[in-house]
Amino acid sequence: MSTALTRLIQLVTPPPEPREKDWDAVESELGTELPSDYKEFIRTFGGSNWDDYLYVLEPGCPNDNYDLIEWEDQQTEALDGLWEFEKKPTELATEGARVIPWATTDNGECLYWLVHPGQIPDQWTIMVNEARGDNWEHFSTTSSQFLAAVLDGELQSSILSSRFPLAAHEFRQLRPV
């Protein structure tokens, strides 16, 4: 178990039943492998809401509003259209670089993995995009490390809400609606 996942388990009690996924099928549909810390996170917590603000996406999420594969399709199309008119973040200047969403917020901010050609998924870092603007932040960390550091107050984002995280953490696993 990763150190970041251990930190998250110390902050909130995970659900008793692990969420199992057919990762080969998921990764085949996405056309790429996913980071091992994310797969471990999903097994432990599943698609989830943190401090009534941040939603971690899950492939095949019981609440289909937070399905990772659907979000990847929608965000890829939206960003391709947007970048016809706005400048891409410099982190995406490398030919073949892309972002894959892994979380979103109540306000509409989106958290992505930054993917470079030939880079192994466990080396992907985090990009955060503001909801209605072209501001991006880059964090050299994994998704589980990012979430643990934000919840612990070690990492600050100027894009995410100043009310996040809450002093007393709230956790909710996503269920069908």
Side-chain angles (χ1 to χ4, degrees):
M1 181 175 301
S2 74
T3 303
L5 193 60
T6 300
R7 285 172 59 195
L8 290 169
I9 290 170
Q10 291 169 349
L11 293 173
V12 301
T13 302
E17 295 297 319
R19 287 244 176 110
E20 301 297 340
K21 297 289 168 187
D22 179 350
W23 289 110
D24 289 337
V26 169
E27 293 168 337
S28 175
E29 190 161 352
L30 287 172
T32 186
E33 291 182 36
L34 292 171
S36 58
D37 81 303
Y38 171 76
K39 293 189 262 189
E40 188 177 32
F41 175 92
I42 292 299
R43 184 176 194 284
T44 305
F45 290 104
S48 45
N49 177 269
W50 294 80
D51 288 356
D52 202 29
Y53 173 70
L54 187 134
Y55 293 84
V56 176
L57 306 174
E58 173 187 357
C61 186
N63 180 333
D64 57 4
N65 294 311
Y66 300 99
D67 182 272
L68 177 92
I69 294 169
E70 292 295 321
W71 270 81
E72 195 274 336
D73 288 342
Q74 294 167 4
Q75 290 302 109
T76 298
E77 183 177 327
L79 290 173
D80 285 346
L82 179 69
W83 289 330
E84 290 180 18
F85 306 101
E86 290 184 9
K87 185 180 175 195
K88 280 185 179 182
T90 57
E91 291 86 356
L92 291 168
T94 304
E95 181 70 29
R98 69 178 182 146
V99 289
I100 299 174
W102 65 274
T104 188
T105 71
D106 272 351
N107 294 339
E109 292 90 8
C110 197
L111 291 79
Y112 298 91
W113 289 298
L114 173 60
V115 180
H116 285 109
Q119 185 180 41
I120 63 170
D122 289 339
Q123 294 175 341
W124 294 351
T125 57
I126 304 302
M127 298 280 294
V128 180
N129 180 228
E130 70 179 335
R132 289 164 278 289
D134 60 358
N135 288 332
W136 288 79
E137 292 177 327
H138 180 235
F139 299 95
S140 295
T141 186
T142 69
S143 49
S144 294
Q145 290 168 342
F146 177 88
L147 184 56
V150 167
L151 293 172
D152 279 347
E154 293 174 14
L155 189 142
Q156 299 288 317
S157 166
S158 62
I159 291 176
L160 299 178
S161 174
S162 60
R163 296 184 200 144
F164 176 73
L166 298 175
H169 298 299
E170 296 177 10
F171 167 81
R172 182 172 44 91
Q173 188 177 58
L174 299 175
R175 303 271 179 216
V177 290

